[in-house]
Amino acid sequence: MLPFSTKITMSSSRLGLRLAVCLLNISEARRKYIVENVAKAALLETNGQKHPEVSVLNIFSDQEYNRSVITIAASVAELGNSILAACLEAFQSIDMEVQEGIHPCLGAVDLIPIYPLSGIGVEECGAVARIRTSLVAQRLRICLPTKGTWVRALVRGDPTCHGATKPVRRNF
């Protein structure tokens, strides 16, 4: 038996894991089932089975702001797909035409920050965020902001996205 003062730690970086976390900000808190469905989308693989390398660590919902933050942790290889699935679910489920709350919002998904946990740097987290934002924009045929730029995608009747870049209360 080990002495009480001996501390055993197992570093994820020593195991070779490259982990990151996303604090996905969505414009919904009052309808719990929508928030849960967005979180569930992050956890599931395309075949509907729970992905073993993805966890939802926390869901914080503010009723007054009508905004939730879903904390998703995963290997870097899987985090992007989880974010994409959660964003698509949010865009499909949250109707910004009727959304009310005191927090100003740009759309169903307001923010997709990604932070390093282990074995990955900030630069790579930024690259994952830009790639996922671009994929969401392409899938939904919309424009989404990234830090300092707009991710462009085809928008019917407006290929430069000028009409979609104004902060409006809809799903873009």
Side-chain angles (χ1 to χ4, degrees):
M1 185 156 195
L2 295 170
F4 184 75
S5 62
T6 302
K7 183 177 178 183
I8 297 176
T9 60
M10 188 176 295
S11 169
S12 57
S13 61
R14 285 184 30 210
L15 295 174
L17 297 177
R18 294 167 22 88
L19 302 174
V21 65
C22 174
L23 277 63
L24 184 68
N25 288 243
I26 64 171
S27 296
E28 183 59 66
R30 296 177 185 153
R31 295 178 294 173
K32 185 178 178 182
Y33 70 95
I34 289 178
V35 177
E36 289 175 350
N37 285 343
V38 172
K40 199 177 298 179
L43 292 172
L44 299 179
E45 296 185 88
T46 54
N47 64 7
Q49 298 295 312
K50 161 92 173 69
H51 198 293
E53 293 181 30
V54 179
S55 294
V56 170
L57 302 178
N58 186 46
I59 299 174
F60 172 77
S61 295
D62 187 306
Q63 302 297 313
E64 241 181 288
Y65 277 67
N66 199 13
R67 182 179 176 109
S68 295
V69 178
I70 302 169
T71 305
I72 306 163
S75 66
V76 175
E78 297 303 327
L79 185 60
N81 293 330
S82 293
I83 293 168
L84 179 59
C87 287
L88 293 175
E89 179 65 31
F91 277 105
Q92 291 171 357
S93 302
I94 300 169
D95 183 357
M96 294 305 295
E97 295 293 328
V98 298
Q99 199 273 0
E100 293 180 353
I102 61 173
H103 190 276
C105 53
L106 293 175
V109 176
D110 273 342
L111 199 56
I112 309 173
I114 300 174
Y115 300 99
L117 289 180
S118 174
I120 180 175
V122 174
E123 297 80 17
E124 192 173 351
C125 286
V128 170
R130 284 186 294 279
I131 290 167
R132 288 304 129 184
T133 303
S134 181
L135 285 173
V136 169
Q138 289 171 5
R139 280 268 185 88
L140 298 173
R141 300 176 54 85
I142 60 172
C143 288
L144 294 171
T146 60
K147 190 170 183 166
T149 62
W150 288 93
V151 173
R152 302 216 179 276
L154 295 175
V155 174
R156 198 172 318 142
D158 190 3
T160 61
C161 299
H162 292 300
T165 59
K166 295 183 176 113
V168 292
R169 294 184 67 83
R170 57 187 179 88
N171 287 13
F172 287 103

